[in-house]
Amino acid sequence: MENKPKFIPDPQLQLMDQVLETLRYYHYARSTEKTYCQWILQYIYFFNKERHPKDMGEREVEAFLSHLASVKNVAATTQRQALNALVFLYRDVLHLPLDQSIAPVRAKRKRHPPTVLTEEEVQNVLAQMKGTHLLMAKLIYGSGIRLMECIRLRIQDLDFGQGKLFIRGGKGRKDRVTFLPRSIQGELRQHVERVKELHRRDLAEGFGEVYLPNALAKKYRKAGWKTPWQYVFPSKTRSVDPRSGKERRHHVLESGLQKAVKAAVKKNGIDKRATVHTLRHSFATHILENGTNIRVLQELLGHADVKTTEIYTHVMRRDIDGVKSPLDRLYNQ
């Protein structure tokens, strides 16, 4: 089987325009576009724009990544993100793949126990929310999905019959299945009916096509107009897609839910650094406390390594409940 020819960006373009052209050819997320471009620019400026990246290589990449770790003191995940951006630059834009033996000074991996809310605190936070934001928050806490996984859900990802939620192209571009909480299926069905009606109005006005990932738009040319592909949480207004120039209804922005959760936490006087992602952490911790096998939780969360899942065992209440502080024993408390 022959390998498909690699995409070659327009040689007449400036480097960063070539980067953007390649990112969009391979359908990278907008957030990834922004992040990769920022790291590539930092790499270029690190060497004072004196040389083009094509005239540099492994040695310069190692120097840049080492600087991030030893001088900038960035986290290990940040250093990995920078490396991924440069691997993309050399492999897919310049077609000068880096040697896999790159060995920069490694940033120290700091593992902090996740912030977790008690079940009562979760209930209080949800009580301060309303509308679509409340439904989204319930879905994240009830199924353990990530913020962007929630926002990018399509109608066809909801299986009410089996009570399942299908996550397609999650972190690491992996698919998985989690459960659809029974307690919100009724209101979620009603919400989907409203979304379908919104889609029917868009169609009547000559719109209604939704963005499709990767090569699906070419393979299924009419799918973007179909109801199953519509976002579960669409934006209230249509907007022009900067890539295609088409006026479409995209999904809601993540910032809306982030602000709503932050406001609800503040109203409850909860002195924890709780965010939308804290709902996912709380889901994981509470489900472990209820006796779920850690391997099952690993699958539900979509973790590649069970070690990532094991961090929740450090914040389980049952691990320390019943163990008395020596000070309390001293004073018979």
Coordinates of all heavy atoms in Angstrom, one line a residue, residues 172-205:
G172 N -6.3 13.5 22.7 CA -5.5 12.5 22.0 C -6.3 11.9 20.8 O -5.9 10.9 20.3
R173 N -7.4 12.6 20.4 CA -8.2 12.2 19.2 C -8.7 10.8 19.4 O -8.8 10.0 18.5 CB -7.3 12.3 17.9 CG -6.9 13.7 17.6 CD -6.3 13.8 16.2 NE -5.9 15.2 16.0 CZ -5.3 15.6 14.8 NH1 -5.2 14.8 13.8 NH2 -5.0 16.9 14.7
K174 N -9.1 10.4 20.6 CA -9.6 9.1 20.9 C -11.1 9.2 21.1 O -11.7 10.1 21.6 CB -8.9 8.6 22.2 CG -7.4 8.3 22.1 CD -6.8 7.9 23.4 CE -5.3 7.7 23.2 NZ -4.7 7.3 24.5
D175 N -11.8 8.1 20.8 CA -13.2 7.9 21.0 C -13.4 7.1 22.3 O -12.6 6.2 22.6 CB -13.9 7.2 19.8 CG -13.8 8.0 18.5 OD1 -13.4 9.2 18.6 OD2 -14.1 7.5 17.5
R176 N -14.5 7.3 23.0 CA -14.8 6.5 24.1 C -16.3 6.6 24.4 O -17.0 7.4 23.8 CB -14.0 6.9 25.3 CG -14.4 8.2 26.0 CD -13.6 8.5 27.2 NE -14.0 9.6 28.0 CZ -13.9 10.9 27.8 NH1 -13.2 11.2 26.7 NH2 -14.3 11.8 28.6
V177 N -16.8 5.8 25.3 CA -18.2 5.8 25.7 C -18.3 6.0 27.2 O -17.5 5.4 28.0 CB -18.9 4.5 25.4 CG1 -20.4 4.6 25.7 CG2 -18.8 4.2 23.9
T178 N -19.2 6.9 27.7 CA -19.5 7.0 29.1 C -21.0 7.0 29.2 O -21.7 6.7 28.3 CB -18.9 8.3 29.7 OG1 -19.1 8.4 31.1 CG2 -19.5 9.6 29.0
F179 N -21.5 7.2 30.4 CA -22.9 7.0 30.6 C -23.6 8.4 30.6 O -23.1 9.4 30.9 CB -23.3 6.3 31.9 CG -22.5 6.5 33.1 CD1 -22.5 7.8 33.7 CD2 -21.7 5.5 33.6 CE1 -21.8 8.0 34.8 CE2 -20.9 5.8 34.7 CZ -20.9 7.0 35.3
L180 N -24.9 8.3 30.2 CA -25.8 9.5 30.1 C -26.7 9.4 31.4 O -27.5 8.6 31.5 CB -26.6 9.5 28.9 CG -27.4 10.7 28.5 CD1 -26.6 11.9 28.3 CD2 -28.2 10.4 27.2
P181 N -26.4 10.3 32.3 CA -27.2 10.2 33.6 C -28.7 10.2 33.4 O -29.2 11.0 32.6 CB -26.7 11.5 34.3 CG -25.4 11.9 33.7 CD -25.5 11.5 32.3
R182 N -29.4 9.3 34.0 CA -30.8 9.2 33.9 C -31.5 10.4 34.4 O -32.6 10.8 33.9 CB -31.4 8.0 34.7 CG -31.0 6.6 34.0 CD -31.8 5.5 34.7 NE -31.4 5.4 36.1 CZ -30.4 4.6 36.6 NH1 -29.7 3.9 35.7 NH2 -30.2 4.5 37.9
S183 N -31.0 11.1 35.4 CA -31.6 12.2 36.1 C -31.8 13.4 35.2 O -32.6 14.3 35.5 CB -30.9 12.6 37.3 OG -29.5 12.9 37.1
I184 N -31.0 13.5 34.1 CA -31.1 14.7 33.2 C -31.6 14.3 31.8 O -31.7 15.2 31.0 CB -29.8 15.4 33.1 CG1 -28.7 14.5 32.4 CG2 -29.3 16.0 34.4 CD1 -27.5 15.3 32.0
Q185 N -32.0 13.1 31.6 CA -32.4 12.7 30.2 C -33.6 13.4 29.8 O -33.8 13.8 28.6 CB -32.6 11.2 30.2 CG -31.2 10.4 30.2 CD -31.4 8.9 29.9 OE1 -32.4 8.5 29.4 NE2 -30.4 8.1 30.3
G186 N -34.6 13.7 30.7 CA -35.8 14.3 30.4 C -35.5 15.8 29.9 O -36.0 16.2 28.8
E187 N -34.8 16.5 30.7 CA -34.5 17.9 30.3 C -33.6 18.0 29.1 O -33.6 18.9 28.3 CB -34.0 18.7 31.5 CG -32.7 18.2 32.1 CD -32.4 19.0 33.4 OE1 -32.3 20.2 33.3 OE2 -32.2 18.3 34.5
L188 N -32.7 17.0 29.0 CA -31.8 17.0 27.8 C -32.6 16.7 26.5 O -32.3 17.3 25.5 CB -30.7 15.9 28.0 CG -29.5 15.9 27.1 CD1 -28.9 17.3 27.0 CD2 -28.5 14.9 27.4
R189 N -33.6 15.8 26.6 CA -34.5 15.6 25.4 C -35.2 16.9 25.0 O -35.3 17.2 23.8 CB -35.5 14.5 25.8 CG -35.0 13.1 25.8 CD -36.1 12.1 26.1 NE -35.7 10.7 26.3 CZ -35.6 9.8 25.3 NH1 -36.0 10.2 24.1 NH2 -35.2 8.6 25.5
Q190 N -35.7 17.6 26.0 CA -36.4 18.8 25.7 C -35.5 19.8 25.1 O -35.9 20.6 24.2 CB -37.0 19.4 27.0 CG -38.2 18.5 27.6 CD -38.7 19.1 28.9 OE1 -38.2 20.1 29.4 NE2 -39.6 18.4 29.5
H191 N -34.3 19.9 25.6 CA -33.3 20.8 25.1 C -33.0 20.5 23.6 O -32.9 21.4 22.7 CB -32.0 20.7 25.9 CG -30.8 21.5 25.3 ND1 -30.7 22.9 25.5 CD2 -29.8 21.1 24.5 CE1 -29.6 23.3 24.8 NE2 -29.0 22.2 24.3
V192 N -32.8 19.2 23.3 CA -32.5 18.8 21.9 C -33.7 19.1 21.0 O -33.4 19.5 19.8 CB -32.2 17.2 21.9 CG1 -32.2 16.7 20.5 CG2 -30.9 16.9 22.6
E193 N -34.9 19.0 21.5 CA -36.0 19.4 20.6 C -36.0 20.9 20.3 O -36.3 21.3 19.1 CB -37.3 19.0 21.3 CG -37.7 17.5 21.4 CD -37.7 16.9 20.0 OE1 -38.2 17.5 19.1 OE2 -37.0 15.8 19.9
R194 N -35.5 21.7 21.2 CA -35.4 23.1 20.9 C -34.3 23.4 19.9 O -34.4 24.2 19.1 CB -35.1 23.9 22.2 CG -36.3 23.9 23.2 CD -36.1 25.0 24.3 NE -35.1 24.6 25.2 CZ -35.3 23.8 26.3 NH1 -36.5 23.4 26.6 NH2 -34.2 23.5 27.1
V195 N -33.2 22.6 20.0 CA -32.1 22.7 19.1 C -32.6 22.3 17.7 O -32.2 23.0 16.7 CB -30.9 21.8 19.5 CG1 -29.8 21.8 18.5 CG2 -30.3 22.4 20.8
K196 N -33.4 21.3 17.6 CA -33.9 20.8 16.3 C -34.8 21.9 15.7 O -34.7 22.1 14.5 CB -34.7 19.5 16.5 CG -33.8 18.3 16.8 CD -34.7 17.0 16.9 CE -33.8 15.8 17.2 NZ -34.6 14.6 17.4
E197 N -35.6 22.5 16.5 CA -36.4 23.6 16.0 C -35.6 24.8 15.5 O -35.9 25.4 14.4 CB -37.4 24.1 17.1 CG -38.3 25.3 16.7 CD -39.1 25.0 15.5 OE1 -39.5 23.8 15.2 OE2 -39.4 26.0 14.7
L198 N -34.5 25.1 16.2 CA -33.6 26.2 15.8 C -33.0 25.8 14.4 O -32.8 26.7 13.6 CB -32.5 26.3 16.8 CG -31.5 27.5 16.6 CD1 -32.1 28.8 16.6 CD2 -30.4 27.4 17.7
H199 N -32.6 24.5 14.3 CA -32.0 24.1 13.0 C -33.0 24.2 11.9 O -32.7 24.6 10.8 CB -31.5 22.6 13.2 CG -30.9 22.0 12.0 ND1 -29.9 22.6 11.2 CD2 -31.2 20.9 11.3 CE1 -29.6 21.9 10.2 NE2 -30.4 20.8 10.2
R200 N -34.3 23.8 12.2 CA -35.3 23.9 11.1 C -35.5 25.4 10.7 O -35.7 25.7 9.5 CB -36.6 23.4 11.6 CG -36.7 21.9 11.7 CD -38.1 21.4 11.9 NE -38.5 21.6 13.3 CZ -38.4 20.7 14.3 NH1 -37.8 19.5 14.0 NH2 -38.8 20.9 15.5
R201 N -35.4 26.3 11.6 CA -35.5 27.7 11.2 C -34.3 28.2 10.4 O -34.4 28.9 9.4 CB -35.6 28.6 12.5 CG -36.9 28.4 13.2 CD -37.2 29.7 14.1 NE -36.2 30.0 15.1 CZ -36.2 29.5 16.3 NH1 -37.2 28.7 16.7 NH2 -35.2 29.8 17.1
D202 N -33.1 27.7 10.7 CA -31.9 28.0 10.0 C -32.0 27.5 8.5 O -31.7 28.2 7.6 CB -30.7 27.4 10.6 CG -30.2 28.2 11.8 OD1 -30.6 29.4 11.9 OD2 -29.3 27.7 12.6
L203 N -32.6 26.3 8.4 CA -32.7 25.7 7.1 C -33.7 26.5 6.2 O -33.5 26.7 5.0 CB -33.2 24.2 7.2 CG -32.2 23.2 7.7 CD1 -32.9 21.9 7.9 CD2 -31.1 23.0 6.7
A204 N -34.8 26.9 6.9 CA -35.8 27.7 6.2 C -35.3 29.1 5.7 O -35.7 29.6 4.7 CB -37.0 28.0 7.1
E205 N -34.2 29.5 6.4 CA -33.6 30.8 6.0 C -32.4 30.6 5.1 O -31.7 31.6 4.8 CB -33.1 31.6 7.3 CG -34.3 32.0 8.2 CD -33.9 32.6 9.5 OE1 -32.6 32.9 9.6 OE2 -34.7 32.8 10.4

